[in-house]
Amino acid sequence: MDAGGGAADGFVRIHRALLGQGHESVAYVIKRKRPDVPAMVDARSLLGPWQKLVWGLGRLWAKLRRLHLRPVGVYDFDAEANFPAEPIVRDARARAAKWDLVVVHWAGAFVTADAIRRIAEALDARVVLWQVDMAHVTGGCHSNLGCLKYRTGCGACPLIGSRKADDLSARQAARRLRTWREVGAVLLAPTEWSARQARESAITGALPSKVFPIPLDLDVLRPVDDPRAARAALGLPAEARVLLVRGIDPALTYKGFGLLLQALRLLDDQRVALHVAVLGETGLMGDGWRHLTYTELGVRRGDAAIAVAYQAADFFVNPSTNDNGPMMVGEALVCGVPVVAYPVGLPSVPWAEGMVGGIAEPIGDVPALAAALRAFAEMPAAELAMKKRAAAAAARPLYAASYFGAQLAAARDL
């Protein structure tokens, strides 16, 4: 899709950045929700009546066959990925006879590896796998939740409750391994952390790879000298030390919001003065806070809306324990907002020197996260201002559309 989550937003940002740099780009989705994005094609509109019937019945049959598996979390077992290659090839050829790259962002429930092969071969294009979570490096899951079987080709998959070595995850892993090697695919990752997972994978480990982040609109996502106007617009206290976080269901354990709540409770017990601004889901903070205060900003859509939230914040926290490159980290940094995070999915900026934020280690450790947050909550204003300037200076060149376009073009020759 072109809307509905971070992966969709990243997809649109890549497409828009390429168009803005003068490249010819066409983006295919299974469900289009944003008519404001040019050259965005709802693939269903390319199907004739008979093809649409066959496609719809195939998806229904796949759902029925999968009922007994009941996979947990976010998954991609190709069960519904039955969209034919021919309509996409026909539409792309009508736009240009030859294409340089077929960039596969998130193909779950859309097209299989074999369909991608046929599209790329018909367009004489090279396949580029853009790493979204762990979509391309496993036999089915998007977050491995600690399982390391992707390193050996999967099988006996805990996500689907399987004990068979040659189960659905193993078969899909084998198909992907064979296909990506035969087409000479390239693996692109937004962070070194996700690239390392790709190199460890039995599926993608032998593929050439490159690391660079998804581009951002730097004209909109930008620092401000004084946060008071943004705070007034959002109803945040003018003089408080403000922490911004994305509110997300703690049941998605790898996103770490439950860990953050535990860390905030420790700070509350320590009488740390802090105001928490929650962007996204509401009703997650709970009651009983004595020293910490909070404001629920709700869901804000579009770069202009979220830019105000960053500009109002003193620092941002990303408590994810398994995430290949959350875009909110980059969004915060280019707005001049330092980031506190576990060492997961972080861009290549000078974290080690502490110039752009703070790292909490080991991953998942609540006291370490609380200590990192307290350091920023109690940091002298002059030191915090220095870190804000350093964050913007380090991140903005890395997230420029021109940098992304140059790196993507270079991927053709890997």
Side-chain angles (χ1 to χ4, degrees):
M1 300 181 289
D2 58 2
D9 291 343
F11 176 71
V12 171
R13 282 171 166 166
I14 288 173
H15 177 51
R16 276 187 157 160
L18 293 174
L19 292 173
Q21 291 295 302
H23 301 291
E24 186 167 0
S25 175
V26 57
Y28 296 95
V29 293
I30 200 67
K31 187 181 293 183
R32 186 182 186 190
K33 295 184 177 182
R34 299 182 59 174
D36 61 306
V37 182
M40 181 72 69
V41 178
D42 189 320
R44 297 173 300 177
S45 68
L46 305 177
L47 298 175
W50 174 249
Q51 284 181 314
K52 190 170 291 187
L53 175 64
V54 172
W55 171 71
L57 290 175
R59 284 171 65 86
L60 177 60
W61 176 237
K63 288 177 182 291
L64 293 174
R65 290 173 55 203
R66 194 180 63 203
L67 281 178
H68 71 286
L69 296 178
R70 300 187 183 281
V72 296
V74 184
Y75 58 88
D76 171 20
F77 288 106
D78 279 358
E80 300 163 46
N82 62 333
F83 198 90
E86 184 272 332
I88 295 175
V89 170
R90 184 179 65 247
D91 184 79
R93 277 181 167 169
R95 298 167 185 269
K98 183 185 181 303
W99 291 80
D100 295 305
L101 298 172
V102 171
V103 181
V104 187
H105 189 74
W106 192 339
F110 190 1
V111 285
T112 62
D114 187 59
I116 293 166
R117 177 217 298 269
R118 282 179 274 147
I119 292 168
E121 289 177 346
L123 302 179
D124 195 19
R126 188 161 194 186
V127 172
V128 168
L129 305 174
W130 182 262
Q131 175 84 310
V132 182
D133 293 329
M134 298 181 70
H136 301 302
V137 305
T138 78
C141 66
H142 282 261
S143 178
N144 66 334
L145 302 178
C147 175
L148 301 180
K149 292 182 179 180
Y150 70 96
R151 297 178 178 178
T152 55
C154 295
C157 176
L159 193 68
I160 56 177
S162 168
R163 296 182 180 179
K164 296 180 179 179
D166 185 28
D167 64 6
L168 181 60
S169 70
R171 294 194 298 273
Q172 180 159 288
R175 285 197 302 271
R176 290 177 172 180
L177 169 64
R178 182 174 61 253
T179 302
W180 301 144
R181 285 186 176 178
E182 288 176 355
V183 302
V186 176
L187 192 289
L188 303 182
T191 64
E192 179 57 36
W193 183 84
S194 58
R196 185 172 66 250
Q197 289 183 316
R199 290 192 292 268
E200 293 170 347
S201 168
I203 300 170
T204 57
L207 301 182
S209 63
K210 198 171 181 67
V211 179
F212 53 99
I214 289 175
L216 299 173
D217 188 341
L218 301 183
D219 292 331
V220 178
L221 293 163
R222 57 185 177 81
V224 294
D225 294 329
D226 190 339
R228 284 179 291 186
R231 292 186 180 186
L234 299 175
L236 298 175
E239 303 302 328
R241 187 60 57 89
V242 175
L243 162 66
L244 182 67
V245 64
R246 179 193 176 190
I248 191 166
D249 188 349
L252 291 173
T253 55
Y254 67 96
K255 291 294 185 181
F257 195 83
L259 298 175
L260 174 64
L261 288 176
Q262 295 178 52
L264 292 177
R265 292 290 180 187
L266 290 179
L267 297 185
D268 197 45
D269 291 341
Q270 297 165 10
R271 299 176 179 268
V272 174
L274 185 64
H275 189 86
V276 182
V278 184
L279 185 65
E281 295 182 37
T282 60
L284 302 177
M285 289 294 293
D287 301 319
W289 301 99
R290 294 170 295 169
H291 304 284
L292 269 67
T293 56
Y294 69 90
T295 299
E296 294 181 327
L297 303 177
V299 176
R300 299 177 62 85
R301 302 201 181 280
D303 285 351
I306 63 174
V308 177
Y310 291 114
Q311 291 162 354
D314 288 307
F315 63 111
F316 176 80
V317 59
N318 174 55
S320 293
T321 60
N322 191 316
D323 210 334
N324 84 319
M327 283 189 298
M328 292 189 78
V329 170
E331 292 166 356
L333 292 173
V334 300
C335 288
V337 179
V339 174
V340 172
Y342 292 119
V344 172
L346 299 176
S348 300
V349 291
W351 297 95
E353 292 79 13
M355 293 300 295
V356 302
I359 301 298
E361 295 184 277
I363 296 171
D365 187 273
V366 171
L369 180 59
L373 294 175
R374 182 170 184 171
F376 275 85
E378 299 178 342
M379 187 175 292
E383 183 180 351
L384 181 60
M386 180 187 69
K387 289 185 181 295
K388 287 184 174 183
R389 291 191 296 269
R396 289 180 71 80
L398 195 64
Y399 286 89
S402 57
Y403 180 76
F404 180 88
Q407 296 298 307
L408 186 61
R412 289 178 300 181
D413 302 321
L414 290 178

